């Protein structure tokens, strides 16, 4: 059947969901979930996400030129959903959600302690694409929880990352299969 | 622990995987899997993916200015993996894999019949970002299998789309949970 051009993106799912944390020049932090996100280069290491250009996340990134991409797991779904709400500019979603800010090594934006991995990013480029702004970040430093990356192998089923399906529906990884 | 900047993208997973089908001006079709892919605008409807700039997919898109994004399911993992191999320029991966080309409505590139959804795209923009080329497509027409989209709701657990974890490892959707 024909799929409405308002709906097509629902079928490009589930998508990884990340929490992007930022801070403005007044020191007010912010975090919001995004699922229009992907790696886009290995050397240099670049990540890209698409945002409403008016989002606080974008405003903060344009002020400080940096952000942190945090990978949430199943344990903080409730907190992630609080971060998705629209709070006034002076309010930190991270605090509202009861999450913990963690000082970053190479950027002003804080990470979120409860997330299983963090990528500290410097704004690399931005492009307007339709109704979203594409933000490309260069990863300066990356961290993952020790127990999920023993011997250089990511134990994804143990990490249990959240994926976004649509609206308030999220998915968890089920079976892992190998192509031959 | 610190995560090597060669490895960070392994933790931004699982990612949706798509088969991108194209054709060159000589009429030779091509299909290849990509998992650096995301929606990037709703109005106009835009999809973006990142590719090695030397990939046949990119060469074909630059020739014809169009491509089709196909959503594969669990049933065609083996065929998708054949499409991931490097065949000479004159060989159609679609035929090699035993998949079926389907004439598109609005673009020259064919769709792949065995996939659960198809988005016919016109090249909208391209940007070089590090070692990958970002290809943005405007979706002109989208199709999904009837049984997966009754009454405007995507039955994702029935559709059983493939996700990419890394290398030859793919994931299937497990539990679906709702945020409150």
């Amino acid at each position: 059947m024909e799929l409405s051009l308002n709906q097509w993106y629902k079928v490009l799912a589930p998508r990884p969901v990340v929490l992007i944390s930022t801070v403005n020049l007044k020191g007010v932090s912010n975090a919001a979930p995004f699922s229009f996100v992907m790696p886009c280069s290995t050397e240099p290491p670049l990540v890209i996400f698409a945002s409403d250009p008016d989002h606080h996340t974008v405003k903060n990134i344009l002020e400080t030129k940096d952000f942190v991409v945090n990978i949430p797991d199943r344990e903080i779904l409730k907190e992630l959903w609080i971060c998705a709400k629209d709070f006034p500019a002076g309010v930190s979603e991270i605090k509202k959600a009861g999450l913990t800010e963690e000082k970053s090594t190479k950027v002003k934006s804080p990470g979120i302690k409860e997330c299983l991995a963090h990528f500290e990013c410097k704004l690399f480029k931005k492009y307007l694409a339709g109704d979203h702004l594409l933000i490309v970040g260069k990863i300066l430093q990356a961290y993952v929880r020790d127990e999920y990356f023993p011997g250089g192998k990511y134990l994804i089923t143990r990490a249990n990352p959240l994926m976004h399906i649509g609206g308030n529906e999220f998915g968890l990884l089920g079976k892992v299969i190998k192509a031959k």
Side-chain angles (χ1 to χ4, degrees), chain A residues 17-141:
Chain A
V17 60
V18 298
L19 271 172
I20 295 188
S21 48
T22 55
V23 66
N24 68 15
L25 290 181
K26 290 177 189 156
V28 182
S29 60
N30 180 290
F34 291 87
S35 75
F36 291 3
V37 60
M38 66 182 196
C40 79
S41 169
T42 52
E43 182 51 43
L46 301 177
V47 63
I48 185 168
F49 75 100
S51 173
D52 173 342
D54 294 328
H55 200 287
H56 290 158
T57 297
V58 169
K59 289 183 182 169
N60 290 357
I61 292 173
L62 297 182
E63 280 186 27
T64 63
K65 314 292 184 210
D66 71 44
F67 57 100
V68 177
V69 176
N70 305 272
I71 309 289
D73 65 16
R74 198 255 169 277
E75 299 306 313
I76 58 164
L77 174 61
K78 192 179 155 194
E79 290 79 2
L80 176 144
W81 199 239
I82 294 171
C83 291
K85 289 182 188 158
D86 211 12
F87 292 106
V91 175
S92 166
E93 286 83 358
I94 305 178
K95 284 169 192 153
K96 275 276 171 196
L99 293 169
T100 316
E101 286 183 25
E102 202 160 47
K103 209 169 151 44
S104 293
T105 312
K106 302 205 171 164
V107 299
K108 293 181 208 81
S109 300
I112 297 171
K113 194 179 174 180
E114 290 80 2
C115 287
L116 70 95
H118 315 264
F119 312 135
E120 298 183 12
C121 301
K122 189 180 158 64
L123 176 61
F124 183 78
K125 268 185 190 166
K126 61 184 166 67
Y127 312 101
L128 195 64
D131 56 17
H132 279 55
L133 190 69
L134 298 173
I135 301 271
V136 183
K138 182 175 174 184
I139 295 162
L140 302 183
Q141 189 89 33

